[in-house]
Amino acid sequence: MKLYQLIQAYSFDELMPVINDMFPGTSKFRPQLENAYNMMLNMKPVPSKKSIKYEMLKATDGSGNQYMGAKDNNFQSTWEVCLGKTLSRAQGVDLSDEELLANIIVNMCLQGKYPASFEKDHRILMKG
């Protein structure tokens, strides 16, 4: 499945509680995240042979813990290119489609190459 297909399957109202569960406290950024979602929903995806792959990653804090996620470089392209990427899950990754999409939206906002019209919202998100 391509990211643009998944984003079309959910409303922002369905996703925001999932975003807040995964990233506690993000409800204060609802306007910025909703704006990003709406922008992504209305963009024309650029076909890409690359994917956004969720896998078991090792924590970088030296604890030896693992978490489910995608490497940062999966999101370091324009939003249009991200939207055209195929989504995949490695064995052992049991994130639901909603959880996957919630995580992707946040990662695209923080790490992706967003459009200039998102600059003000991006600054607010980065200030935390």
Side-chain angles (χ1 to χ4, degrees):
M1 175 183 297
K2 298 285 187 176
L3 175 55
Y4 75 88
Q5 294 168 314
L6 185 60
I7 201 169
Q8 291 171 352
Y10 293 95
S11 71
F12 186 78
D13 288 337
E14 291 173 295
L15 294 172
M16 190 61 218
V18 180
I19 292 171
N20 197 55
D21 285 346
M22 294 180 86
F23 303 97
T26 52
S27 59
K28 66 183 177 183
F29 299 111
R30 181 185 176 96
Q32 292 79 25
L33 294 169
E34 186 169 14
N35 185 37
Y37 167 85
N38 288 328
M39 291 172 75
M40 292 173 195
L41 192 61
N42 291 304
M43 287 181 167
K44 182 177 168 110
V46 172
S48 176
K49 292 181 181 172
K50 295 189 177 185
S51 67
I52 298 174
K53 183 175 184 175
Y54 276 76
E55 54 194 316
M56 298 304 294
L57 300 172
K58 290 182 179 162
T60 57
D61 61 4
S63 66
N65 293 332
Q66 289 188 318
Y67 65 96
M68 288 178 248
K71 293 179 181 173
D72 291 349
N73 64 1
N74 284 256
F75 305 102
Q76 294 169 346
S77 56
T78 66
W79 284 7
E80 293 90 346
V81 169
C82 283
L83 289 166
K85 291 182 177 183
T86 301
L87 304 177
S88 65
R89 295 175 182 92
Q91 185 175 351
V93 174
D94 61 358
L95 295 172
S96 70
D97 284 351
E98 287 173 304
E99 290 169 326
L100 198 70
L101 184 55
N103 186 275
I104 288 170
I105 288 171
V106 171
N107 277 298
M108 284 176 62
C109 287
L110 299 179
Q111 300 179 61
K113 294 177 184 166
Y114 53 85
S117 57
F118 189 70
E119 178 63 36
K120 181 179 176 185
D121 289 330
H122 182 259
R123 276 188 263 128
I124 292 168
L125 289 172
M126 295 307 288
K127 286 182 184 175

